[in-house]
Amino acid sequence: MKKILIAGTNSGVGKTTISLGIMQALTKRNMKVQPYKVGPDYIDPSYHTFITGRNSRNLDSYMLDDEKLKYILNEASKDADISVIEGVMGLYDGLGINLDSCTSSYASKLLKAPVILVINAKAMAASAAAMVLGYKMLDENIKIGGVIVNNVKSKSHYEILKESIETYAKVEVLGYFPPNKEFSLESRHLGLVPSVEIDSLKVKFNNLADEIEKYIDIGRIIEISETENVESEFTLDEFIENNKVKDKSIAIAYDKAFNFYYRENIELLDKLGLKIKFFSPIKDKEVPEADYIYIGGGFPEIFCEELDKNEYMRNSIKKAHERNIPIYAECGGLMYLGENMLDNENKKYNMVGIFKGTSKMTSSLKRFGYCFGEAKEDTILAKKNQIIKGHEFHHSIFESNEPCAYIMRKERAGKIIDEWEGGYSKNNTLATYLHTHFYNNLECIENFLNRGIK
């Protein structure tokens, strides 16, 4: 199996640009490229998917155990020519200081994927070798297959860097990339703007691939990627057989306001026999006739005027709730199901109104990071005291007097470092800021299916 993991020394080193360029270059060589992202990110994978034409997958070792991660890799890569995994933050950055807790380095060991390390070599010479040597030595079980030096303006500077790294760190240097503002991607408060909103992406990424080919040895990366297979003991067969439904459907919100979903979540619903009906809360007049409704995260605050204007859609979702159709909403979905939303200028817009309260944008991230929720009561996803792992990542708060359905906790090194209440449950509707991967707790999907109207 051909696979590589592209990691940075730290966030902001150019890892995403290099990863996207390599994916596009491989695709232009007529290779079937299966992309992945370490961690819970939704936005980088949207670019991966755009470039490769294959759904990018998240490899998140907080929500998923080792066997499930290996299962995802094997399932998605079985008809691919090469798998390209983009790391998260720096190579060894994860949950706390444990090098094997939610880090890119751990993913590389687990999945037997050699690391291509991206460093920012601006204004460096032999010190670059010290940096690479440190990353190589910190965990000697990591296979660093090669280094790419970023922000290097000249060939002569590159030659110095290459010689020093290969002499002192004994790691092959695969090329460099000069600074180029043309390939910077538009940003927003939660990171990169999702690919569904950007025009002329194809031209930009094709040009990026051409530049990558000029400076980086793609052929050598393909050679390095040839690695042994990994085997998984996890299977969905029994779960699907025991929970298969017939003649049922689920309406899933998907447009420029709502597009944060783990691909496996949607595929699992499909494998369980549900007919998937995508709809747009912005453009469509009403939610499709369905037995279940799923509204993911995204950027509803950017499109709150359009969501407000589509009163027919808002009323149809409210009526579905009143008919006791199970509705599950995450993050942006929670904001949409509230009464009102305030934009960045404090202008108020009407939302669905299932839950009393108002969403407000904040100047900083709230509840950022991995956490888990323990159900205070039965909800459509969890029985009382059941736990769901996930992550929160939002620039908003939902001000409400509605009772919360979950006790939320953040843990580090086995100790609870923060605790709060969150999530709202009313009849057959659950809305929460927590993003979760369904493989994390398959019982939750069993609970969800069982809440359908008989």
Side-chain angles (χ1 to χ4, degrees):
M1 177 185 284
K2 290 184 173 68
K3 54 185 180 296
I4 54 167
L5 188 150
I6 302 173
T9 53
N10 55 277
S11 294
V13 76
K15 170 182 78 272
T16 296
T17 299
I18 298 294
S19 297
L20 297 176
I22 289 173
M23 288 179 194
Q24 184 71 73
L26 292 168
T27 301
K28 289 183 76 172
R29 290 187 178 206
N30 295 318
M31 296 185 76
K32 295 178 182 177
V33 181
Q34 177 56 52
Y36 300 88
K37 174 70 179 181
V38 177
D41 186 13
Y42 290 103
I43 299 174
D44 290 352
S46 72
Y47 290 104
H48 300 173
T49 299
F50 181 89
I51 286 172
T52 66
R54 297 171 66 97
N55 290 303
S56 187
R57 314 292 173 144
N58 290 81
L59 301 169
D60 191 318
S61 57
Y62 176 78
M63 284 188 271
L64 305 178
D65 63 32
D66 292 354
E67 297 306 313
K68 291 173 182 175
L69 293 176
K70 290 188 287 186
Y71 173 85
I72 289 172
L73 180 81
N74 286 337
E75 284 295 299
S77 295
K78 58 189 176 185
D79 64 339
D81 297 318
I82 187 170
S83 297
V84 179
I85 306 165
E86 181 186 347
V88 61
M89 299 184 290
L91 176 60
Y92 294 109
D93 297 327
L95 192 59
I97 66 167
N98 185 339
L99 301 185
D100 289 340
S101 181
C102 307
T103 60
S104 300
S105 60
Y106 182 69
S108 76
K109 288 190 293 186
L110 176 70
L111 305 174
K112 301 177 182 178
V115 172
I116 306 299
L117 185 66
V118 179
I119 73 168
N120 183 352
K122 181 180 180 180
M124 296 183 77
S127 294
M131 179 185 292
V132 174
L133 184 60
Y135 279 83
K136 177 183 176 182
M137 297 290 290
L138 186 59
D139 185 344
E140 294 184 349
N141 293 315
I142 298 296
K143 179 185 177 183
I144 297 183
V147 173
I148 294 171
V149 287
N150 197 19
N151 284 323
V152 176
K153 290 184 178 180
S154 67
K155 183 82 178 293
S156 58
H157 182 199
Y158 168 65
E159 293 296 342
I160 293 170
L161 292 162
K162 178 178 171 66
E163 184 178 5
S164 64
I165 291 170
E166 293 184 342
T167 299
Y168 297 114
K170 308 298 184 191
V171 178
E172 182 179 356
V173 179
L174 303 170
Y176 72 103
F177 201 67
N180 192 325
K181 291 183 179 179
E182 178 188 346
F183 303 121
S184 63
L185 293 166
E186 187 182 353
S187 295
R188 176 182 288 160
H189 57 260
L190 290 182
L192 298 173
V193 174
S195 61
V196 292
E197 294 179 44
I198 298 181
D199 296 327
S200 305
L201 267 184
K202 197 160 192 63
V203 172
K204 177 178 283 193
F205 287 138
N206 273 325
N207 291 341
L208 173 60
D210 292 342
E211 292 300 298
I212 288 283
E213 288 275 12
K214 286 182 188 177
Y215 299 104
I216 296 171
D217 190 344
I218 299 298
R220 181 64 184 132
I221 288 176
I222 295 171
E223 292 174 359
I224 290 169
S225 74
E226 191 65 64
T227 55
E228 62 183 298
N229 294 341
V230 294
E231 301 296 331
S232 171
E233 296 177 0
F234 175 73
T235 176
L236 283 168
D237 294 346
E238 184 178 353
F239 176 78
I240 290 171
E241 183 180 346
N242 292 338
N243 293 281
K244 194 89 171 178
V245 299
K246 291 183 179 180
D247 302 320
K248 299 269 187 184
S249 60
I250 183 167
I252 299 179
Y254 197 94
D255 60 12
K256 60 186 179 180
F258 303 100
N259 49 68
F260 289 1
Y261 296 93
Y262 295 124
R263 188 65 196 177
E264 285 79 19
N265 286 6
I266 295 174
E267 289 175 350
L268 178 59
L269 297 171
D270 178 63
K271 289 175 182 177
L272 285 165
L274 290 168
K275 182 180 180 181
I276 308 296
K277 298 180 178 181
F278 291 106
F279 72 98
S280 169
I282 291 177
K283 293 182 178 179
D284 294 333
K285 288 299 182 185
E286 59 183 15
V287 68
E289 190 68 33
D291 300 282
Y292 306 87
I293 298 172
Y294 182 15
I295 306 174
F299 295 110
E301 67 275 13
I302 304 298
F303 307 101
C304 46
E305 183 174 359
E306 293 166 80
L307 293 168
D308 181 333
K309 286 181 178 179
N310 196 347
E311 186 176 0
Y312 290 112
M313 173 59 73
R314 292 189 287 107
N315 287 340
S316 76
I317 293 176
K318 183 82 174 289
K319 288 175 182 176
H321 162 75
E322 291 167 351
R323 296 199 314 271
N324 237 22
I325 300 295
I327 303 174
Y328 173 51
E330 288 183 342
C331 201
L334 162 63
M335 298 166 70
Y336 182 52
L337 295 188
E339 283 182 295
N340 304 110
M341 189 183 302
L342 299 182
D343 66 10
N344 288 318
E345 298 176 351
N346 280 326
K347 185 175 178 180
K348 183 181 285 189
Y349 296 91
N350 294 313
M351 294 294 120
V352 174
I354 293 173
F355 298 102
K356 305 296 182 184
T358 299
S359 296
K360 294 182 177 181
M361 303 311 297
T362 57
S363 59
S364 61
L365 279 169
K366 299 298 178 185
R367 305 294 182 195
F368 169 63
Y370 290 124
C371 54
F372 61 90
E374 179 180 343
K376 297 170 58 180
E377 60 188 72
D378 287 357
T379 73
I380 58 170
L381 280 195
K383 299 285 180 61
K384 184 177 180 179
N385 299 325
Q386 277 189 319
I387 287 174
I388 303 177
K389 286 184 173 182
H391 80 283
E392 291 195 14
F393 190 57
H394 48 97
H395 260 278
S396 68
I397 55 174
F398 184 62
E399 292 188 341
S400 174
N401 291 321
E402 298 269 14
C404 290
Y406 287 84
I407 298 173
M408 306 298 301
R409 297 186 178 98
K410 183 176 286 192
E411 187 178 67
R412 186 175 299 154
K415 296 180 179 179
I416 302 298
I417 61 171
D418 197 6
E419 183 174 297
W420 65 99
E421 292 194 345
Y424 304 91
S425 179
K426 185 178 291 185
N427 298 332
N428 260 3
T429 297
L430 173 67
T432 171
Y433 270 120
L434 187 72
H435 295 280
T436 193
H437 196 295
F438 291 166
Y439 287 12
N440 162 238
N441 189 336
L442 290 171
E443 284 185 50
C444 292
I445 297 308
E446 187 177 350
N447 295 335
F448 183 57
L449 295 177
N450 288 338
R451 291 294 282 265
I453 298 173
K454 305 299 182 183

